[in-house]
């Protein structure tokens, strides 16, 4: 028996002033996007902002539905928009944030498994890690260098690849 061990690293910052201007701006855009979420059922507004390699910023937010599973998370709303409209442009980084009017979201919100898998596809597509910036409405900021941090044993079958 052998143990296969992988390390996950997250950089934690206690203040936005520790971030680069580009990172601060992307987080601000994600916060603006969260305000436009359609979340009448969960009342949990998530916002996502993607920075593309050409400088374009794409926004997404969660879009819920009375038939609950028909809704979509903020990250996939944004990333699928990027795939649909900028199919050849790699994604540099993404910022994700959330707030609720019912309680304080003071910790970073980790992307759900389905969103991680979708982000993973875009990394594979462009062979380029995507920096992930996370913050609640308040509280610390987490930055990960790529999807590897969250999916260290990510699904990949080379015969299925492009
Ligand atoms: N949600 C996201 O937008 N992103 C995630 O990564 C996790 C959850 C949304 C889905 C739903 O509209 C609400 O948050 C509560 O789960």
């Amino acid at each position: 028996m052998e143990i296969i061990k992988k390390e996950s690293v997250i950089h934690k910052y206690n203040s936005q002033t520790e971030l680069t201007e580009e990172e601060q701006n992307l987080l601000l855009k994600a916060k603006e996007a969260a305000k436009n979420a359609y979340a009448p059922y969960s009342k949990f507004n998530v916002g996502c902002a993607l920075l593309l390699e050409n400088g374009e910023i794409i926004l997404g937010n969660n879009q819920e539905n009375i038939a609950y599973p028909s809704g979509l998370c903020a990250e996939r709303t944004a990333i699928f928009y990027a795939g649909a409209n900028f199919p050849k442009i790699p994604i540099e980084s993404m910022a994700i944030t959330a707030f609720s009017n019912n309680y304080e979201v003071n910790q970073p919100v980790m992307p759900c498994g389905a969103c991680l898998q979708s982000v993973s596809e875009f990394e594979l597509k462009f062979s380029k890690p995507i920096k992930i910036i996370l913050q609640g409405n308040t509280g610390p900021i987490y930055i990960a260098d790529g999807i590897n941090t969250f999916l260290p044993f990510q699904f990949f079958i080379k015969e299925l690849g492009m």
Side-chain angles (χ1 to χ4, degrees):
M1 197 276 275
E2 207 184 313
I3 288 178
I4 302 174
K5 196 170 166 184
K6 294 193 186 182
E7 198 178 47
S8 284
V9 173
I10 286 184
H11 306 270
K12 181 184 174 194
Y13 302 89
N14 287 320
S15 157
Q16 293 210 15
T17 57
E18 293 177 72
L19 306 187
T20 65
E21 233 173 81
E22 192 178 89
E23 290 164 346
Q24 287 185 38
N25 181 49
L26 204 60
L27 203 46
L28 193 71
K29 297 280 185 206
K31 289 189 181 202
E32 284 169 13
K35 290 184 199 151
N36 292 326
Y38 178 66
Y41 306 107
S42 70
K43 300 187 170 35
F44 187 73
N45 287 46
V46 186
C48 176
L50 306 177
L51 174 64
L52 306 189
E53 211 175 69
N54 64 359
E56 194 89 32
I57 290 182
I58 306 293
L59 304 183
N61 42 41
N62 49 334
Q63 296 294 319
E64 297 184 350
N65 193 282
I66 194 160
Y68 289 4
S70 302
L72 196 65
C73 292
E75 297 90 322
R76 277 175 292 157
T77 302
I79 210 153
F80 292 159
Y81 183 93
N85 294 285
F86 300 93
K88 302 241 160 71
I89 316 285
I91 299 166
E92 291 270 349
S93 48
M94 65 193 299
I96 305 154
T97 185
F99 77 88
S100 171
N101 289 329
N102 295 339
Y103 50 91
E104 187 57 27
V105 180
N106 58 11
Q107 288 299 317
V109 175
M110 300 292 169
C112 78
C115 287
L116 291 175
Q117 184 58 35
S118 301
V119 176
S120 145
E121 183 71 20
F122 278 73
E123 283 200 353
L124 287 173
K125 180 177 169 189
F126 295 113
S127 304
K128 187 185 165 105
I130 299 172
K131 175 159 72 174
I132 301 171
I133 305 162
L134 305 169
Q135 190 185 28
N137 190 39
T138 54
I141 299 138
Y142 288 178
I143 300 188
D145 294 333
I147 207 74
N148 239 356
T149 301
F150 307 99
L151 289 179
F153 296 97
Q154 137 192 33
F155 176 67
F156 181 69
I157 309 288
K158 75 173 174 346
E159 289 79 3
L160 294 182
M162 41 210 125

